[in-house]
Amino acid sequence: MLQHRYCHCLLLLGNLLFCLGTFLSILATDTLADTPLLQEGKRTVFQRVVSNPGAVLYADPQGKMVSGKPRTFTSYYVYARQGDMIRVGVTTTKAQGWLKTNAATEWPQAITMVFTDQMGRQPVLFFKDHQALEELCSADSIKDTIEQYVTLFRKNVKLPSDCPVIASEPFDEEGQVSQKDFYLLPVINIDRQFSDSGTQLLEVACLDPGIADTKKDEKAMVEEKNTSAIGMRTGIVFVVDTTKSMRPYIEQTKEIIRNVFDRMQSSPAKDKIAFAVIAFRSRPELGPGTEYNAKVVSDFTTVSERAKLEDLLSGLEETKASTHTFDEDSLAGVKMAVDSLQWDMVDGKIILLVTDAGPLSGPQDKRLADTKKDRSSTTGMTSESMADYLRTNGIFLTALHVKTPQGKNDHPYAEKSYRELARLSNGRSSYLAIEAKTTAEGEARFRSVGKTIADIFCKIAENQIRGAQASRPKIQDERKELSAEDQARQIAEACGYAMQLRFVGDRKKTTAPHVVKAWIADSDLTSLEEHPDNAPLPAVEAAVLLTKTQLSQLRMQLDTIINTAEKAFLQDSENFNFYEQLISAAAQMSRDPSSFSNAPNANLAQKGVLLEVLDGLPYKSRVLGFQQEDWTNMTTGDKEQFIKRLKGLVREYEEFDRDNTHWEGFGGTEANDLSFRVPLRSLP
């Protein structure tokens, strides 16, 4: 009897302890901090992970209660770590549940890669380990080895067990990975042993848009089936300088459009080419008779609307007055084309910029405002930031720079600016110089180049209607001197090919391969072997995932640096210590001045002047490593360029913020936690 009571008491005690343990576990879970964990050595940068395929989200740290399955490759903040479990959330204000540590991949720097446009490069191959990729880079014939792997994937057969390649970027017939869906290619490790040749080896974690449902609906399947029959609609926009010296080229532009319409009138693809025209001059307030800065002459029109376009083109005329300086506001014309035209009417997006002058140079200079010397653009953007804006909007720009004797002194500046503006994701530039030592020579060259470009896009439209597959353009030797017509042909073929792959990828909703972990090369190794003296074609480009809050903070921090630099520039006094004034101004603007570091060797991120997330990123930043003597050692021109570039970045961030299509919340709904892939080149 006593033994029975003793056992009963033990049972009651066990149940009580179990309940107490459960209660304490729940209490511990409930009382965990609702702030993510900081990365080691950081004051503001949180720990992050990316969920792996098949990950399960649990409601408790014991992994007993399932609360759901997250989308594959969701970006999470880490709130707590207990044994083999981590507490995670998609926002910085609330945890959602627990993941097993082996169901997530650490992502310390939020660096992600983005596929470049395929303009002659091979698709990216994913290697199962570092050694396999390293051996490829040291192979006797890289091209032959890659072609063996490519053949395997093209045949769509089961891969041999000893094959070092486990996945591939989609091939031509599948198109480019759809840019309409946000996808992640997080970087875990970087091997720079081949960096002298322009290539880095990257260990990447997960790769998949992870957002679009893999089951295609009936409408999507019909679209995919009819992709070749529908054909890509190409929108070609002429952004034309309509100042006094441009009359012959304005008339030639009209003639090129008319000739295309003549050709396409009886073509089965006649509704697949649409033209739009933007005119630009300069800032009217600085030049009497300038009339306008930039204006839409015509939105997209096709052959069927020819009469309407002809009527509108009659208003495309040169000004009779001289503008305030030789350079014109071409960037305003480009931005108006991006912002004001009905791009949703077309699939392929092309801008042809036609001018004989350099661009007004970026952000406004306060010292020169409202004077005849003011050379600032109304956009406040530099050529580099405008190029990023074009690429974000999926637009290819070719700059047709007419080099007349009158603009001889302006040619070096204009060429440098337009090469940057026309920079493509493959590292090349679609800049074309039109030599015009005489008006007759300039007209003839411009007419020939314009006809070459127009013919190629007409052929692309007609080939697509017939169901012909796009042909990959050959990799060209940059050192080889070509005629303007041959350059135009190469540029149009490369851009046209990339546009077709985008079109097919978007129609087929092409996704990236499912890869949990692999090694890739960041450039096309084939191009490196074929033309070793040229820069290799980049296969991916780096971006950093920044939240709305971080981007807003970075913009304000750059404003502080700009204001301090302009103050130092205006005072030009040895008594004004730019470096100390900058740190003081940044501390005053901060909500937590105590977070600023006094360490003498710390960079601006470590000191608290710039986002701490920038510290440790694999890029060279003149601003981040700024030291006390740097400002003093700058020339006047260097200081102007320093300020101008930062102003251009601020304007670029403002455009990112207004972008409604490229922000991702990974399931979260809080606006401040939405993330944007900011190109590494767009960081200060």
Side-chain angles (χ1 to χ4, degrees), residues 73-363:
F73 313 125
T74 293
S75 173
Y76 283 112
Y77 294 97
V78 178
Y79 281 78
R81 296 178 184 270
Q82 288 188 16
D84 64 347
M85 302 291 286
I86 50 176
R87 191 175 185 229
V88 297
V90 294
T91 71
T92 56
T93 57
K94 184 180 180 181
Q96 292 177 292
W98 296 80
L99 289 175
K100 291 184 178 180
T101 53
N102 61 5
T105 300
E106 300 289 337
W107 193 18
Q109 292 180 317
I111 298 176
T112 183
M113 307 307 290
V114 180
F115 290 119
T116 62
D117 288 301
Q118 291 191 36
M119 308 175 86
R121 69 171 176 83
Q122 288 279 6
V124 174
L125 299 177
F126 295 82
F127 289 77
K128 62 183 177 184
D129 55 44
H130 176 268
Q131 181 181 349
L133 180 54
E134 191 177 31
E135 288 175 356
L136 171 65
C137 294
S138 305
D140 292 335
S141 177
I142 295 175
K143 182 179 179 181
D144 290 346
T145 307
I146 287 178
E147 285 182 353
Q148 292 175 14
Y149 299 142
V150 168
T151 301
L152 280 175
F153 281 95
R154 281 198 180 278
K155 288 181 177 179
N156 200 25
V157 297
K158 184 178 180 181
L159 297 176
S161 59
D162 60 348
C163 182
V165 181
I166 57 176
S168 169
E169 184 185 3
F171 289 95
D172 306 356
E173 57 272 15
E174 291 299 314
Q176 185 101 9
V177 173
S178 178
Q179 298 296 307
K180 293 183 179 180
D181 291 317
F182 189 101
Y183 65 91
L184 284 178
L185 181 50
V187 177
I188 307 304
N189 283 311
I190 302 175
D191 178 0
R192 297 186 176 88
Q193 64 173 305
F194 299 102
S195 57
D196 288 345
S197 63
T199 296
Q200 297 183 121
L201 309 185
L202 308 174
E203 184 181 20
V204 295
C206 311
L207 176 61
D208 184 15
I211 297 170
D213 191 342
T214 55
K215 294 180 180 178
K216 298 176 182 177
D217 57 27
E218 187 175 339
K219 181 181 177 182
M221 288 190 289
V222 170
E223 282 186 344
E224 177 177 335
K225 183 178 179 181
N226 295 330
T227 292
S228 59
I230 294 172
M232 177 178 70
R233 298 163 300 176
T234 300
I236 302 174
V237 184
F238 280 97
V239 177
V240 186
D241 180 344
T242 57
T243 52
K244 202 171 183 180
S245 60
M246 286 294 294
R247 185 178 186 280
Y249 306 100
I250 294 171
E251 295 306 315
Q252 287 296 326
T253 297
K254 295 178 184 178
E255 196 61 29
I256 290 169
I257 295 173
R258 292 183 181 118
N259 288 340
V260 170
F261 278 0
D262 287 342
R263 168 179 173 166
M264 301 300 286
Q265 188 71 50
S266 58
S267 170
K270 65 180 181 181
D271 62 340
K272 301 305 179 186
I273 298 287
F275 284 107
V277 180
I278 301 288
F280 71 87
R281 291 174 182 171
S282 193
R283 292 168 55 189
E285 70 271 22
L286 300 180
T290 301
E291 298 180 311
Y292 60 82
N293 189 51
K295 71 173 184 178
V296 177
V297 176
S298 171
D299 210 327
F300 289 111
T301 55
T302 61
V303 171
S304 61
E305 303 166 294
R306 180 168 187 168
K308 174 185 174 183
L309 181 59
E310 289 279 9
D311 184 52
L312 292 170
L313 286 179
S314 65
L316 184 66
E317 298 178 330
E318 78 282 6
T319 179
K320 302 301 185 288
S322 296
T323 49
H324 77 290
T325 182
F326 189 83
D327 293 330
E328 311 297 352
D329 204 357
S330 53
L331 298 183
V334 171
K335 191 164 190 302
M336 178 166 283
V338 179
D339 294 344
S340 303
L341 300 178
Q342 298 181 59
W343 291 101
D344 57 348
M345 291 177 57
V346 297
D347 306 298
K349 304 173 183 179
I350 292 286
I351 289 178
L352 300 178
L353 173 65
V354 183
T355 182
D356 64 353
L360 291 183
S361 53

Side-chain angles (χ1 to χ4, degrees), residues 413-424:
Y413 161 72
E415 179 171 342
K416 181 178 183 297
S417 299
Y418 291 135
R419 283 193 182 278
E420 290 296 336
L421 178 64
R423 185 73 58 187
L424 302 169

Side-chain angles (χ1 to χ4, degrees), residues 350-501:
I350 292 286
I351 289 178
L352 300 178
L353 173 65
V354 183
T355 182
D356 64 353
L360 291 183
S361 53
Q364 187 168 337
D365 188 331
K366 292 180 180 179
R367 298 167 301 129
L368 302 176
D370 301 322
T371 74
K372 289 282 185 177
K373 295 180 181 179
D374 189 351
R375 294 173 180 266
S376 58
S377 169
T378 56
T379 66
M381 299 175 77
T382 62
S383 295
E384 294 92 332
S385 57
M386 187 66 76
D388 287 332
Y389 190 54
L390 288 163
R391 285 163 67 175
T392 299
N393 285 278
I395 300 171
F396 296 90
L397 179 142
T398 295
L400 303 177
H401 176 207
V402 181
K403 289 188 170 182
T404 62
Q406 294 86 348
K408 182 178 179 180
N409 294 334
D410 187 63
H411 290 169
Y413 161 72
E415 179 171 342
K416 181 178 183 297
S417 299
Y418 291 135
R419 283 193 182 278
E420 290 296 336
L421 178 64
R423 185 73 58 187
L424 302 169
S425 69
N426 68 351
R428 310 302 196 243
S429 178
S430 54
Y431 165 86
L432 274 171
I434 309 295
E435 297 295 339
K437 294 177 182 177
T438 66
T439 301
E441 179 189 11
E443 284 187 78
R445 288 185 181 275
F446 181 78
R447 180 167 56 249
S448 178
V449 165
K451 181 179 184 302
T452 298
I453 294 172
D455 281 349
I456 287 172
F457 288 118
C458 288
K459 286 178 183 176
I460 288 173
E462 290 167 344
N463 287 340
Q464 279 208 323
I465 288 294
R466 290 196 298 268
Q469 189 167 321
S471 299
R472 178 184 294 137
K474 293 181 180 179
I475 300 172
Q476 302 297 332
D477 187 344
E478 287 186 298
R479 299 170 304 165
K480 187 177 180 181
E481 289 191 17
L482 300 173
S483 67
E485 291 79 5
D486 286 340
Q487 290 181 59
R489 184 176 295 104
Q490 288 185 7
I491 289 169
E493 286 175 350
C495 293
Y497 178 74
M499 291 193 309
Q500 289 177 85
L501 293 194

